[in-house]
Amino acid sequence: MLFSSIPFLYYFLAITILLYIISPKKLKNSTLLLCSLFFYYWGERTYTIIMVVSILFGYVFGLLIERYRETKAKAPLTAVSVAISLSFLLYFKYADFFIENFNAVTGLSVPLLNVVLPIGISFYTFQIISYTIDVSRGERAQKNPINLGAYITMFPQLIAGPIVRYSDIDRELTTRTHTLDDTAAGIRRFVFGLGKKILIANQLGELVSAFRAASEPSVLWHWLYAIAFCLHIYFDFSGYSDMAIGLGRIFGFHFIENFNYPYISASITEFWRRWHISLGSWFRDYVYIPLGGNRCGKARQLFNIAVVWFLTGMWHGAAWNFIVWGLYFAVLLTIEKLWLLKYLKKSKVLSRIYVLLFVLISFVIFNASGMAEAGSDLLGLVGVGKSGMLPLVSAEAIYNLKSFAVVIILGIIGSTPLPKRLAEKFEKGEKTRVISNIAEPIVLVALFATMTAYLVDGSFNPFLYFRF
Amino acid sequence: MKSNKIKNIVVCSLFGAILLVMFALCILMPKPEYSESERRKLAELLPLTYENVESGRWMTSFDSYSTDNFPFRDEFRTLKAIVSTGVFSRLDNNKIYVADGYAAAIEYPMRDENLVRAAERFRNVYNTFLSESNNVYVSIIPDKGAFLAKENGRLSMDYDAFEARMRELTSDFSEYVEISDLLSLEDYYKTDTHWRQEQITDVADRLLSAMGKSPTGEHKTNELDYGFHGVYYGQSAMPLPAETIYYLTNDALDGCRVCNGDKVSFGANGELMMPEMPMYDMELGHGKDPYEMYLGGSLSLVTVENPAVTDGSHLVLFRDSFGSAIAPLLCESYSKVTLVDIRYIQPMMLGRFIDFDGADVMFLYSTLVVNNSETLK
């Protein structure tokens, strides 16, 4: 079930909030668990059992690891727990990828398993792994399976993150409070996130699709596509994260922020501190640091970076373009670490242009269906087409540039902190605060009505991160 | 702080109220089976059975059902169209645009493979049923975009190239009759794809002249007493005014006998029997698509016999829905006109129903059908 859908907004969410409000305090987590399981089952009937089994393994191993934490059994228990969680992920996400490549290398024809990827498996697997590792590092294990289940399956973040650490919401699972401020802030965040998704990301998604269906390739079309996809993926994913964080807050949870205006970064290093923060910090804490992190020789550090970014690429998808995408960032981060970072500090303008250009190239690779398409999309940016040089412009490109100009401009402005700063400035002024207080509910209702209108009209609406 | 508290109370109350009120309306409001504005059957909810749930079909059907049956659906669609074109300045809404008061679909690009396919379909008919004794003609009707798109900054096909290509592809078995120079934007309905019958008598005369026939006579212009919202009205979801459908009559047309070949049967001696139908069907004129009043709309086979012309001339008109409005005017100069729509009937079956011997044959199709000729059989 998509957040940006009529069934979610006007059926599931309405009923879930109602049930949650009327549930006694003791049963609120049970209510959340049941609603979340229903939410998951709606879109993933066959593999709901896989998620439940994964959670049960996590629960049992959490208790065992806590019990034997001071003994030699801690390490093997943790390793087995991580291995079990990863085995589900490896089988469902990577089995066919490995077979394909094995066949390509050996010339054999091992039949593909044609396994369907369970929705959200990459996210909930990482949450379970972080839980058991945190317990092995000293966090207390969750004794109540309902609480652990509510944490893993919590529908706001179940299928596309942010990857919420158990340690971050451990206390809130048992003793959270519900305040008017939190609820209103949650609603505000949810509505704005929904707006980012429906009004900006979906429209840019149409532009991206129009490029794929285009009959007149041109240099302008390729750049328009690349810029549109960069904005599309940001608004799609950060919009989803906003909705998740907002919904979490309505239910009394404070999830980790997942995006912090990544497109204003002055280096790729900074970009990755601002983009998909929960994934970056997960790899830092559970892969990079255990491998030695920065506290080792230069060569080892670079090796650690390569491993982390190879895995980051793999996490995003079982295809070579994702691996190349991950390693591409490993190379950029290595160059910055060894040499470039100090030069980037000299000019904010040039450093930002550098970031935007290299991130744009990365997302062209990311969104391709394979390395061949990635190559052709990249070559298109410099005017090289499949059958010779491309024209600079085409009628389709100009038409779509005109048709999507306002959306793109709004997207560019919206991906900077400017709107937030303006709103804060408005809130601080004595006179403007009155206007802001009156305008905010009106804007929220108008936005919600407009987004409903877009949903009713059945526009373009896939969530990009569902495939991970 | 107090004002913040009030604001937060208002935000929470409004959000809760919207969700609950709309949820109640979703459950309680009546669910129409058909959308008049979109001219389509709305999604139905599958029965709640174990098989439907386990297969996910019930969930999928619920997604479509809840969206299709959302309260005030038409109003929300209009709001979306206004925001899309007004606030976001999108040049089209769901590939439909409104310019100079006319709504039209983006028809772009010219798909050469589809032009080739259409020409092959025509040639297939020629090779199967026709010979040099038949006079064969091809004519292409430009869609509204030919007069609206380029002038208003929308993607526009090269209509001259389109015609030239069709002329080239069909020149070995037919004569091409150009009519685009006789048409202008005013010849089309503002909210529909189609042309207006009262505006195309000159086109009918050009076609008849090319086939060596006398032009149409004088007509009485009649008005249908029912507001017409064309297909683009619902698709664009823009608040466009209703139009008036006009239809032409005269003594010759009044005397024609029209038969519906879709309800054909065979008599005791194997003779073809087709039920009669009106040339202008007022019931259909007051129905879901009033344009279907012209010769019954989308029928695969229709015959019109004109007792006022006694020379035994026969025109077989292969056509799409544009042909329904012009065919009555062509009937005035033929003893018999047979209308065939090969989107709905296999051409191989035509020999059972049509005597092609000595008949004039015309392929009269709009650019919309030729450019999307997957629909032709």
Side-chain angles (χ1 to χ4, degrees):
Chain A
M1 199 184 303
L2 299 172
F3 285 175
S4 51
S5 69
I6 296 294
F8 177 82
L9 290 174
Y10 292 106
Y11 290 84
F12 178 82
L13 189 58
I15 294 169
T16 300
I17 289 177
L18 199 62
L19 288 175
Y20 187 78
I21 290 170
I22 61 172
S23 295
K25 203 170 180 182
K26 275 187 174 178
L27 292 179
K28 285 199 187 297
N29 283 350
S30 307
T31 306
L32 266 185
L33 175 62
L34 287 175
C35 291
S36 297
L37 286 172
F38 177 83
F39 172 85
Y40 191 77
Y41 182 79
W42 185 272
E44 193 59 274
R45 288 151 307 282
T46 316
Y47 293 130
T48 304
I49 191 70
I50 299 293
M51 183 179 71
V52 173
V53 169
S54 298
I55 293 168
L56 286 175
F57 272 119
Y59 173 72
V60 171
F61 274 97
L63 294 176
L64 287 173
I65 291 166
E66 185 182 54
R67 187 168 174 184
Y68 297 105
R69 193 154 47 199
E70 306 306 328
T71 71
K72 284 181 179 173
K74 181 184 91 169
L77 278 172
T78 309
V80 170
S81 158
V82 170
I84 288 172
S85 292
L86 280 180
S87 65
F88 285 122
L89 188 62
L90 285 171
Y91 174 74
F92 284 104
K93 194 163 182 173
Y94 303 105
D96 280 339
F97 177 67
F98 289 136
I99 293 171
E100 272 174 17
N101 286 286
F102 176 77
N103 286 345
V105 170
T106 61
L108 296 172
S109 308
V110 178
L112 295 179
L113 301 173
N114 294 318
V115 185
V116 177
L117 182 69
I119 295 172
I121 189 168
S122 306
F123 289 93
Y124 70 71
T125 299
F126 271 35
Q127 293 202 169
I128 294 169
I129 290 174
S130 82
Y131 165 68
T132 50
I133 292 178
D134 285 353
V135 172
S136 78
R137 288 174 178 175
E139 290 284 340
R140 71 183 179 98
Q142 179 54 254
K143 307 290 185 298
N144 185 339
I146 290 173
N147 286 353
L148 185 71
Y151 151 64
I152 307 277
T153 65
M154 204 180 298
F155 72 88
Q157 47 83 53
L158 173 60
I159 49 181
I163 302 166
V164 178
R165 307 273 189 88
Y166 175 72
S167 54
D168 290 341
I169 61 162
D170 175 20
R171 193 185 52 77
E172 288 176 338
L173 274 169
T174 46
T175 57
R176 65 185 175 278
T177 52
H178 303 85
T179 66
L180 182 67
D181 284 355
D182 263 349
T183 308
I187 291 168
R188 209 174 291 132
R189 189 74 184 265
F190 176 75
V191 173
F192 281 121
L194 196 59
K196 283 165 81 172
K197 164 68 183 156
I198 295 174
L199 300 180
I200 306 290
N202 281 1
Q203 296 205 65
L204 291 166
E206 282 180 54
L207 181 55
V208 168
S209 294
F211 170 79
R212 286 281 174 237
S215 58
E216 298 168 354
S218 66
V219 178
L220 176 65
W221 228 149
H222 277 271
W223 279 96
L224 191 57
Y225 155 72
I227 292 166
F229 184 71
C230 286
L231 292 170
H232 172 52
I233 192 168
Y234 170 67
F235 278 91
D236 192 277
F237 194 18
S238 73
Y240 189 95
S241 294
D242 286 340
M243 285 186 267
I245 291 165
L247 286 170
R249 215 149 164 198
I250 291 171
F251 294 108
F253 294 96
H254 293 77
F255 297 159
I256 181 179
E257 287 296 334
N258 218 16
F259 288 87
N260 184 22
Y261 305 105
Y263 290 144
I264 62 164
S265 304
S267 67
I268 297 296
T269 310
E270 185 186 352
F271 175 82
W272 276 102
R273 284 194 204 113
R274 292 171 175 272
W275 180 279
H276 205 171
I277 297 165
S278 63
L279 181 72
S281 62
W282 195 99
F283 273 110
R284 183 195 63 213
D285 293 346
Y286 298 109
V287 181
Y288 186 67
I289 291 174
L291 283 172
N294 292 334
R295 296 181 177 183
C296 48
K298 214 62 165 182
R300 176 72 193 190
Q301 269 187 52
L302 300 183
F303 172 76
N304 293 347
I305 289 173
V307 169
V308 164
W309 286 96
F310 173 79
L311 292 176
T312 303
M314 282 285 278
W315 182 88
H316 280 86
W320 281 106
N321 62 307
F322 290 115
I323 294 170
V324 169
W325 177 79
L327 292 174
Y328 167 89
F329 277 113
V331 171
L332 288 175
L333 291 166
T334 301
I335 292 170
E336 285 190 1
K337 202 175 185 72
L338 292 177
W339 167 71
L340 191 59
L341 218 46
K342 56 180 181 276
Y343 296 105
L344 290 174
K345 285 172 186 162
K346 289 182 179 171
S347 166
K348 276 198 167 181
V349 175
L350 287 177
S351 60
R352 281 178 179 159
I353 291 171
Y354 147 79
V355 170
L356 290 175
L357 180 67
F358 280 88
V359 167
L360 179 141
I361 291 169
S362 84
F363 282 135
V364 170
I365 298 169
F366 184 93
N367 194 44
S369 59
M371 280 314 295
E373 189 173 79
S376 127
D377 288 348
L378 288 173
L379 286 172
L381 293 172
V382 291
V384 180
K386 284 172 187 160
S387 49
M389 296 304 285
L390 295 175
L392 278 180
V393 296
S394 57
E396 276 182 343
I398 291 174
Y399 176 77
N400 283 294
L401 177 61
K402 284 182 187 169
S403 192
F404 288 91
V406 171
V407 183
I408 290 170
I409 290 166
L410 287 175
I412 291 170
I413 295 169
S415 61
T416 70
L418 189 67
K420 190 183 173 190
R421 281 183 194 152
L422 278 175
E424 283 170 355
K425 205 173 176 184
F426 228 64
E427 289 241 321
K428 278 178 189 162
E430 269 195 28
K431 285 179 186 169
T432 51
R433 188 169 55 228
V434 179
I435 300 170
S436 163
N437 284 343
I438 296 168
E440 188 185 304
I442 298 169
V443 168
L444 287 175
V445 170
L447 260 179
F448 208 62
T450 305
M451 291 177 304
T452 301
Y454 270 74
L455 293 179
V456 168
D457 197 52
S459 354
F460 193 87
N461 198 17
F463 264 119
L464 288 184
Y465 264 68
F466 273 20
R467 60 176 163 155
F468 305 125
Chain B
M1 289 305 285
K2 194 183 170 189
S3 63
N4 261 349
K5 192 178 174 186
I6 294 169
K7 180 179 76 178
N8 288 342
I9 290 171
V10 172
V11 166
C12 293
S13 309
L14 279 174
F15 186 71
I18 289 171
L19 288 190
L20 290 178
V21 169
M22 292 312 288
F23 170 64
L25 289 175
C26 285
I27 301 290
L28 299 174
M29 281 202 33
K31 312 285 187 291
E33 287 181 0
Y34 186 83
S35 165
E36 297 289 341
S37 63
E38 294 167 77
R39 292 190 185 175
R40 68 177 181 90
K41 206 167 175 289
L42 296 173
E44 287 177 8
L45 189 59
L46 289 177
L48 187 60
T49 63
Y50 175 78
E51 288 77 20
N52 284 338
V53 170
E54 191 50 31
S55 65
R57 285 196 297 268
W58 192 83
M59 283 77 161
T60 307
S61 83
F62 187 83
D63 281 347
S64 314
Y65 168 81
S66 60
T67 306
D68 267 10
N69 290 286
F70 196 74
F72 314 112
R73 175 178 166 79
D74 285 345
E75 288 77 7
F76 274 114
R77 289 188 66 242
T78 300
L79 172 63
K80 187 260 177 173
I82 291 169
V83 171
S84 181
T85 54
V87 177
F88 291 109
S89 297
R90 291 285 301 275
L91 293 179
D92 62 79
N93 179 40
N94 302 335
K95 301 284 178 201
I96 308 289
Y97 61 95
V98 179
D100 299 339
Y102 284 80
I106 301 272
E107 184 60 31
Y108 188 89
M110 182 176 111
R111 300 179 187 90
D112 191 67
E113 69 278 14
N114 283 356
L115 272 62
V116 171
R117 188 206 314 270
E120 279 174 4
R121 297 289 85 207
F122 301 164
R123 184 178 288 103
N124 180 43
V125 171
Y126 180 84
N127 290 339
T128 310
F129 300 110
L130 308 178
S131 65
E132 286 183 359
S133 68
N134 297 102
N135 294 315
V136 183
Y137 307 90
V138 170
S139 189
I140 299 297
I141 307 162
D143 64 88
K144 206 191 294 182
F147 313 100
L148 193 67
K150 200 173 180 184
E151 291 76 359
N152 289 284
R154 267 61 174 199
L155 284 169
S156 175
M157 293 190 293
D158 182 341
Y159 286 86
D160 291 336
F162 196 109
E163 272 198 284
R165 183 69 171 137
M166 280 310 289
R167 189 193 295 260
E168 177 196 341
L169 289 166
T170 56
S171 61
D172 58 322
F173 64 90
S174 68
E175 179 187 330
Y176 189 84
V177 186
E178 185 180 337
I179 55 171
S180 54
D181 58 314
L182 298 175
L183 290 166
S184 64
L185 188 58
E186 294 71 32
D187 297 332
Y188 296 80
Y189 284 100
K190 290 186 174 178
T191 61
D192 199 51
T193 48
H194 294 109
W195 54 10
R196 311 177 68 107
Q197 190 190 41
E198 76 280 9
Q199 297 280 92
I200 54 171
T201 50
D202 53 347
V203 175
D205 289 343
R206 168 79 62 83
L207 295 176
L208 288 169
S209 165
M211 294 186 286
K213 295 292 176 185
S214 52
T216 56
E218 292 292 314
H219 299 100
K220 181 186 169 198
T221 303
N222 307 277
E223 185 179 320
L224 182 71
D225 59 343
Y226 187 67
F228 174 47
H229 277 125
V231 66
Y232 293 144
Y233 168 77
Q235 286 179 14
S236 74
M238 293 296 280
L240 299 168
E243 299 178 82
T244 305
I245 283 189
Y246 296 98
Y247 58 98
L248 303 176
T249 55
N250 59 21
D251 289 344
L253 291 178
D254 291 345
C256 286
R257 179 172 174 264
V258 184
C259 294
N260 182 351
D262 277 11
K263 294 180 180 171
V264 69
S265 58
F266 293 93
N269 300 320
E271 73 276 17
L272 271 177
M273 293 170 67
M274 297 183 190
E276 280 196 44
M277 58 181 272
M279 181 167 279
Y280 302 118
D281 190 328
M282 293 305 133
E283 200 176 316
L284 289 173
H286 292 79
K288 293 167 184 170
D289 179 5
Y291 201 79
E292 291 200 328
M293 68 171 285
Y294 298 106
L295 290 170
S298 52
L299 299 177
S300 59
L301 191 65
V302 175
T303 62
V304 186
E305 288 167 13
N306 181 2
V309 179
T310 54
D311 60 3
S313 56
H314 182 199
L315 169 65
V316 181
L317 181 66
F318 287 86
R319 52 88 193 205
D320 55 23
S321 52
F322 281 72
S324 299
I326 200 168
L329 307 178
L330 303 178
C331 293
E332 291 177 38
S333 301
Y334 278 93
S335 297
K336 183 179 179 184
V337 174
T338 302
L339 286 81
V340 186
D341 194 334
I342 53 172
R343 291 175 299 170
Y344 308 121
I345 187 170
Q346 282 290 350
M348 290 302 120
M349 294 172 63
L350 293 176
R352 296 171 63 189
F353 309 113
I354 303 169
D355 179 8
F356 286 97
D357 191 29
D360 290 342
V361 176
M362 169 162 278
F363 296 93
L364 179 64
Y365 281 91
S366 69
T367 48
L368 297 174
V369 167
V370 174
N371 203 39
N372 300 282
S373 63
E374 302 91 339
T375 55
L376 295 178
K377 291 181 175 169

